[in-house]
Amino acid sequence: MNDEPLLSIGQFARLARLSVKQLRHYADLGVLPPARVDPATGYRYYRAGQAPDALTIGLLRSLDVPLPVVAEVLRGEPTATGALTAVHDRLEGELARRRHSLTALEHILERGLPSAETAHVALHEEGPQRVVLVREVATSPYDIARATSRCVARLLPLLSGEGPPRLTGLFPLDMEERVPIAVGAALEDGATLEGGALEDGAAASEPAAIELLPGGTFARATHLGPYAQIPLTAHALLAWCAEHGHAPAGPLREVYVDDPATTPPDQLVTHLMVPVREREAVVG
C-alpha cells in the first residue's frame, strides 16, 4: 500500500510544471493516469512520486517527441532508445542547419552577395555525361541539405572503383513546397556498380538508375566555401544570366570537385552550372 499523500490535480500540475489541461490530456491518453479518481466527484489525484514521469513527458514534448514514443520511454521499452537517438539526430541536424543559415546571413551582411566576377561566371561547353542517379523529395526548401545528404548516403554504396566519385547534384530552378532533387555519380564507359553492370536506364537499386545527363552550353560559376553558402553563388550565376540575356533551361547543377571528408569546408570547390539558351530563341 502506498502511504504517499495524494495531491490535487492543481497541486501536482504546479509541482510538475505542467498545466491542468495538459495533465487531463495525458491522463485521457493513458500516458500519465492519476493515482486516484474520486468515483463520486471525478476529481483526479496524483502522488509526488509521479513527478519524474510528468517532468519527463514535458521535456520530451518540448522536443516535439510524439506521444507514442513518450509512452515507450516511460515504459522503458527497448525501442525507446532508437527513438530517442532519432530525436537527437534530428535536433542536431536542425541546429546545424540554423548555424549554417546564420553564417550565410553574416556573410551577406559583412561582405554582400558574391558578384559574377568573384564567382568567375562564364559560358562553358559541357559534354553529355553518363551517371548513376538517385532521387529524393525535400519536404521544403529548408530540407534540401538533409535530402541531398540522404541521396549521397544511398548512392555511395552502389559505386565501385578507387578514389572519391565525381558527384553532381540536380536542383530545380524554382522552389516549391516540395523540392525534387537528385544526385548522380559519373560513370566511365564500361563502369560497373556494386552488384554488377547495368544497362542505361535500368534500375540499380530503386529508385536509382543509370541515365545520361545532357550536354550543351552552360553558364558556370565557381563557389569556394561551405556547401550551405552555395545559394549565394547561385544568385550571382542567375543574375549574370539575366543581365546577359541567357534564359536558364534548368535544372541547376552542383558539381562537387572536392571530397568533403578530406577538405576543410572553407576550401571546398563547387561548380554551379545551368543550361542556357539565347533569350531570342525562347521567344522564337
Side-chain angles (χ1 to χ4, degrees):
M1 180 177 179
N2 193 333
D3 295 329
E4 191 176 8
L6 293 172
L7 303 174
S8 70
I9 190 171
Q11 292 173 316
F12 185 73
R14 189 179 305 119
L15 179 67
R17 313 310 299 159
L18 295 171
S19 69
V20 170
K21 182 178 180 180
Q22 286 175 306
L23 285 176
R24 287 174 177 156
H25 179 59
Y26 297 149
D28 292 342
L29 294 175
V31 177
L32 185 64
R36 180 176 180 273
V37 178
D38 190 302
T41 63
Y43 289 166
R44 307 179 188 201
Y45 297 92
Y46 294 80
R47 301 189 188 279
Q50 293 179 276
D53 282 353
L55 290 166
T56 297
I57 294 171
L59 289 171
L60 290 172
R61 292 299 293 146
S62 72
L63 298 174
D64 296 325
V65 176
L67 279 171
V69 177
V70 172
E72 292 178 13
V73 173
L74 294 179
R75 293 194 297 265
E77 295 183 7
T79 54
T81 300
L84 290 179
T85 299
V87 171
H88 178 274
D89 293 344
R90 175 177 59 80
L91 292 175
E92 287 290 341
E94 175 67 14
L95 180 59
R97 183 187 68 78
R98 291 180 179 272
R99 284 174 175 162
H100 292 155
S101 296
L102 180 60
T103 300
L105 176 61
E106 292 172 342
H107 186 282
I108 294 174
L109 296 177
E110 293 174 4
R111 309 179 199 176
L113 289 169
S115 66
E117 290 74 22
T118 58
H120 308 289
V121 182
L123 292 180
H124 171 77
E125 294 297 325
E126 182 80 4
Q129 188 177 58
R130 184 168 167 263
V131 298
V132 56
L133 207 66
V134 295
R135 292 182 170 84
E136 281 282 341
V137 176
T139 57
S140 74
Y142 303 111
D143 187 46
I144 289 177
R146 181 207 61 81
T148 304
S149 297
R150 181 172 168 82
C151 278
V152 173
R154 289 170 42 216
L155 181 60
L156 293 182
L158 301 176
L159 306 174
S160 61
E162 298 180 358
R166 290 182 295 154
L167 300 181
T168 299
L170 303 176
F171 306 90
L173 288 173
D174 301 315
M175 294 291 104
E176 303 290 346
E177 289 186 3
R178 294 174 64 82
V179 185
I181 66 173
V183 177
L187 291 175
E188 303 298 338
D189 290 341
T192 63
L193 303 178
E194 291 296 335
L198 296 174
E199 298 295 333
D200 287 354
S205 175
E206 285 296 328
I210 293 179
E211 298 186 17
L212 190 68
L213 295 183
T217 301
F218 291 76
R220 185 176 77 170
T222 299
H223 173 79
L224 178 63
Y227 294 144
Q229 295 181 15
I230 285 179
L232 306 185
T233 302
H235 165 82
L237 173 64
L238 296 174
W240 182 90
C241 289
E243 292 170 3
H244 289 76
H246 299 294
L252 181 68
R253 298 186 189 181
E254 296 178 4
V255 182
Y256 309 109
V257 176
D258 300 307
D259 182 359
T262 58
T263 305
D266 60 347
Q267 297 180 23
L268 290 169
V269 174
T270 306
H271 293 312
L272 274 67
M273 300 170 49
V274 62
V276 295
R277 54 192 175 213
E278 296 298 333
R279 197 170 296 278
E280 291 78 10
V282 178
V283 175

